[in-house]
């Protein structure tokens, strides 16, 4: 049998061209991806990006449901393999693999700049872990009757708020593991929770298409934002606590948007970000150092991560993670890096590049 080398010479199968052999090895270490770039003047073009790509040992053996940053080097993730994994995304090493849940991990909440974090699961349990401790959970929180779908730690780390598809929110004392408050709202199937920095308020999204602001002092609803047209899947609060973003389910471009809200006096809708074609599963505020104007990022079931101008709603950049399946979670790793969890290809490390404007590159996977 014959094959053709780069010079189009027909050679026997066992005889190889040295140049082609070297190039083959080089290409195996490179990844080619297509992305769309939007310039400030509105012009869009499509580029082929060639770059070195590092494939680390995988953190999980199945779908990754959630990823969160623990500190500037470590992330914590969970998924269908029922395992919580602390991973050094800079070196590509598993730091600790923790087992205790009986079903899929749904949420992770970290106490930043510490070794402590919480995991929620379809087994209705929440567990607290400590990297400096044993492989057993430091604390367990049991009180929901259905899958736990919301998890938020108070700014002083003394309280934990959990939410579930059982329509309830529970407020826990982290030190004792005891439930201090319970609140229930009919048809309030919780999808996500986050605590407002330096405030006693908790933001919550729901399958009833609303966003609620809870006062942790008594666990009462302080405000309900105008209902959207689709399920609200996720929410995030800005570092200054002045704004929040939520994102919507959808299909074929219907719904599939993120929305910026004012958390201060007016509590009005400020801006919408439309361009995804399937459910937007996650949204984050990006560090101010990344761009001259504030920017946010979204990840979607359409396999795309988008960067948006926070003020104008313009899409600045789109990265397609082909073959990843639905993108399930997005987290800010450091000032230039994002972590994106996926259904089929684990966790992808993305990096912002300023060499040709604001671009996002896929640099590693694990």
């Amino acid at each position: 049998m014959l094959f053709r080398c780069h010079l189009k010479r027909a050679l026997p199968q066992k005889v190889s061209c040295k140049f082609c052999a070297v190039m083959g090895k080089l290409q195996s270490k490179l990844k080619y991806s297509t992305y769309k770039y939007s310039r400030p003047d509105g012009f869009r073009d499509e580029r082929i990006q060639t770059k070195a790509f590092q494939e680390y040992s995988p953190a999980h053996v199945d779908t990754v449901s959630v990823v969160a940053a623990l500190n500037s080097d470590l992330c914590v993730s969970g998924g269908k393999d029922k395992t919580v994994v602390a991973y050094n995304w800079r070196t590509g090493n598993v730091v600790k693999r923790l087992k205790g849940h009986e079903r899929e991990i749904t949420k992770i909440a970290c106490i930043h700049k510490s070794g402590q974090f919480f995991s929620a699961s379809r087994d209705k349990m929440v567990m607290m872990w400590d990297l400096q401790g044993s492989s057993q959970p430091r604390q367990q929180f049991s009180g929901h009757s259905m899958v736990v779908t919301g998890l938020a730690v108070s700014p002083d780390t003394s309280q934990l708020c959990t939410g579930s598809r059982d329509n309830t929110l529970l407020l826990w004392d982290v030190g004792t593991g005891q439930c201090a408050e319970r609140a229930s709202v009919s048809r309030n199937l919780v999808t996500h929770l986050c605590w407002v920095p330096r405030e006693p308020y908790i933001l919550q999204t729901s399958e009833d298409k609303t966003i609620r602001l809870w006062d942790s002092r008594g666990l009462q609803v302080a405000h309900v934002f105008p209902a959207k047209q689709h399920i609200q899947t996720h929410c995030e609060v800005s570092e200054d606590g002045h704004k929040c973003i939520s994102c919507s389910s959808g299909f074929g471009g219907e719904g599939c948007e993120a929305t910026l809200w004012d958390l201060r006096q007016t509590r009005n809708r400020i801006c919408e970000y439309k361009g995804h074609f399937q459910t937007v599963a996650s949204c984050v505020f990006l560090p101010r150092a990344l761009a001259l104007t504030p920017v946010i990022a979204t990840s979607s079931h359409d396999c795309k991560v988008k960067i948006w101008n926070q003020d104008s709603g313009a899409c600045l950049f789109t990265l397609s993670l082909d073959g990843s399946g639905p993108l399930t979670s997005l987290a800010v790793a450091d000032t230039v890096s994002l972590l994106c969890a996926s259904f089929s290809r684990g966790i992808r490390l993305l990096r912002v590049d300023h060499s040709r404007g604001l671009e996002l590159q896929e640099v590693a996977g694990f």
Side-chain angles (χ1 to χ4, degrees):
M1 183 180 293
L2 301 177
F3 75 96
R4 295 186 181 276
C5 75
H6 73 291
L7 298 176
K8 297 184 179 180
R9 294 179 297 172
L11 299 175
Q13 188 177 21
K14 293 184 180 180
V15 178
S16 63
C17 170
K18 291 183 179 180
F19 176 81
C20 288
V22 172
M23 289 302 296
K25 290 180 180 179
L26 178 61
Q27 289 175 356
S28 69
K29 296 181 180 180
L30 296 177
K31 182 178 177 65
Y32 300 89
S33 61
T34 302
Y35 62 86
K36 292 180 180 178
Y37 172 66
S38 300
R39 298 194 324 213
D41 59 9
F43 178 80
R44 292 190 177 196
D45 63 2
E46 195 166 279
R47 301 172 180 171
I48 303 298
Q49 175 177 296
T50 306
K51 59 186 179 295
F53 178 86
Q54 183 68 52
E55 193 71 59
Y56 296 133
S57 59
H60 298 274
V61 297
D62 206 334
T63 295
V64 182
S65 305
V66 60
V67 63
L70 182 61
N71 56 40
S72 59
D73 299 315
L74 306 183
C75 66
V76 182
S77 58
K80 285 190 175 181
D81 62 4
K82 312 171 192 176
T83 304
V84 179
V85 177
Y87 200 99
N88 188 319
W89 56 267
R90 292 189 188 274
T91 63
N93 296 318
V94 172
V95 176
K96 210 163 193 177
R97 198 177 295 275
L98 303 163
K99 297 183 178 181
H101 287 290
E102 296 178 356
R103 297 187 66 186
E104 176 185 355
I105 312 300
T106 54
K107 299 289 180 179
I108 298 286
C110 297
I111 300 177
H112 295 289
K113 298 180 180 179
S114 80
Q116 298 177 344
F117 48 90
F118 302 85
S119 60
S121 169
R122 289 188 176 276
D123 64 10
K124 312 171 192 175
M125 293 289 295
V126 174
M127 296 183 182
M128 181 181 183
W129 309 89
D130 192 336
L131 277 187
Q132 279 71 52
S134 70
S135 295
Q136 298 301 312
R138 177 174 173 175
Q139 191 72 267
Q140 298 189 48
F141 306 85
S142 176
H144 288 289
S145 61
M146 296 183 71
V147 51
V148 182
T149 48
L151 204 54
V153 188
S154 66
D156 65 1
T157 72
S158 67
Q159 294 178 302
L160 176 72
C161 187
T162 62
S164 168
R165 287 182 61 85
D166 62 10
N167 303 325
T168 65
L169 266 68
L170 302 179
L171 192 64
W172 305 85
D173 183 297
V174 171
T176 65
Q178 298 299 309
C179 181
E181 300 283 354
R182 175 186 293 265
S184 181
V185 175
S186 178
R187 293 186 290 184
N188 182 32
L189 282 72
V190 176
T191 57
H192 196 72
L193 293 171
C194 57
W195 210 295
V196 179
R198 299 174 295 280
E199 296 287 348
Y201 298 110
I202 303 158
L203 194 69
Q204 180 238 317
T205 48
S206 172
E207 286 193 17
D208 69 3
K209 308 175 185 178
T210 63
I211 303 105
R212 292 179 174 85
L213 190 65
W214 293 80
D215 191 332
S216 62
R217 299 165 296 187
L219 206 56
Q220 301 289 327
V221 176
H223 182 75
V224 180
F225 292 86
K228 299 283 290 179
Q229 296 297 311
H230 294 79
I231 290 171
Q232 297 301 285
T233 59
H234 188 88
C235 57
E236 179 89 356
V237 180
S238 60
E239 285 188 5
D240 60 12
H242 294 169
K243 297 180 178 69
C244 67
I245 44 177
S246 67
C247 44
S248 297
S249 66
F251 186 77
E254 289 292 327
C256 315
E257 81 273 2
T259 306
L260 182 70
W261 305 88
D262 181 13
L263 272 180
R264 292 171 292 179
Q265 294 181 350
T266 64
R267 292 177 177 168
N268 291 333
R269 184 179 69 187
I270 300 173
C271 190
E272 284 196 332
Y273 311 93
K274 296 184 176 181
H276 286 292
F277 286 91
Q278 293 186 42
T279 292
V280 181
S282 191
C283 47
V284 293
F285 289 92
L286 296 182
R288 288 299 302 266
L290 279 181
L292 296 176
T293 58
V295 286
I296 67 169
T298 55
S299 63
S300 168
H301 289 184
D302 63 11
C303 305
K304 292 179 174 60
V305 179
K306 290 179 178 286
I307 296 179
W308 310 83
N309 181 307
Q310 179 183 300
D311 298 329
S312 70
C315 181
L316 304 176
F317 189 81
T318 298
L319 176 68
S320 297
L321 298 178
D322 298 331
S324 293
L327 305 180
T328 55
S329 181
L330 196 61
V332 176
D334 64 15
T335 55
V336 294
S337 304
L338 291 173
L339 296 164
C340 184
S342 71
F343 195 90
S344 304
R345 293 180 62 216
I347 300 168
R348 320 315 289 171
L349 175 61
L350 314 178
R351 189 154 292 149
V352 177
D353 180 16
H354 291 279
S355 61
R356 293 191 298 179
L358 194 65
E359 299 180 358
L360 199 59
Q361 297 181 347
E362 184 185 9
V363 295
F366 53 91

